[in-house]
Amino acid sequence: MSPWTIWLIIACFFIVLEIFTAGFFIIWFGISALLALVFSLVFPKLIIGQVIVWLIFSVLLVLLTKKFADKVAPANVPTNVYSVIGKKANVIAEINDEKSTGQVKVDGDIWSAKTEEFNEIIPVGSIVEILKIDGVKVVVKKIDEK
């Protein structure tokens, strides 16, 4: 098998692999393999040179495009889940941890809720403060309405 064929297979492998990832990182190894393919057409006997071309361009492309790749596909996609912590919410379904019931409404969203103290029951219409997120529920404490 000729060197350019091997580089074409390597390039296709990395490009297809990039389709299944979200990091926009692996594509540079495929593009570097295409550059090594071009080098192999000019210098078919210089296998070490082809590998060096692939390594150099892989490192350069990864380093030079890191900021761009982070903007296009950030590693951690921020969500607004934790933005509700510290906000006040209206109780729309009685919060009773023994019965595993309770819902609050904050910023137009409805959340399942539980109390900070297990034996506390908070009636409908109360105002609560969201202390933290625990799984899919918000943990709340009742605010004195005085």
Side-chain angles (χ1 to χ4, degrees):
M1 190 177 296
S2 61
W4 72 267
T5 310
I6 294 170
W7 286 113
L8 183 61
I9 291 169
I10 292 170
C12 289
F13 170 77
F14 282 119
I15 292 168
V16 169
L17 190 61
E18 178 64 37
I19 293 169
F20 297 106
T21 64
F24 204 47
F25 174 75
I26 297 172
I27 189 77
W28 306 124
F29 298 107
I31 292 171
S32 297
L34 291 175
L35 294 170
L37 180 148
V38 171
F39 187 85
S40 74
L41 292 173
V42 178
F43 304 102
K45 303 275 186 207
L46 265 161
I47 304 297
I48 299 289
Q50 296 166 23
V51 172
I52 290 171
V53 165
W54 178 75
L55 286 172
I56 289 172
F57 278 101
S58 292
V59 170
L60 282 175
L61 287 172
V62 167
L63 293 177
L64 294 175
T65 59
K66 182 166 177 22
K67 286 184 181 180
F68 170 73
D70 288 344
K71 286 180 185 176
V72 173
N76 295 320
V77 179
T79 64
N80 67 346
V81 170
Y82 295 101
S83 68
V84 298
I85 295 173
K87 291 189 176 181
K88 293 175 178 37
N90 293 321
V91 177
I92 60 171
E94 181 183 75
I95 302 172
N96 185 333
D97 292 333
E98 286 184 24
K99 296 179 182 177
S100 293
T101 61
Q103 288 185 327
V104 297
K105 188 170 189 177
V106 59
D107 293 339
D109 294 326
I110 296 174
W111 286 80
S112 294
K114 64 182 185 178
T115 60
E116 183 179 29
E117 300 292 326
F118 182 74
N119 58 359
E120 186 179 9
I121 296 173
I122 303 176
V124 174
S126 299
I127 303 295
V128 294
E129 180 182 354
I130 299 172
L131 302 174
K132 63 182 179 178
I133 307 286
D134 185 15
V136 295
K137 292 186 175 189
V138 292
V139 178
V140 300
K141 74 174 181 181
K142 188 172 182 182
I143 296 175
D144 292 329
E145 297 174 14
K146 295 178 182 177

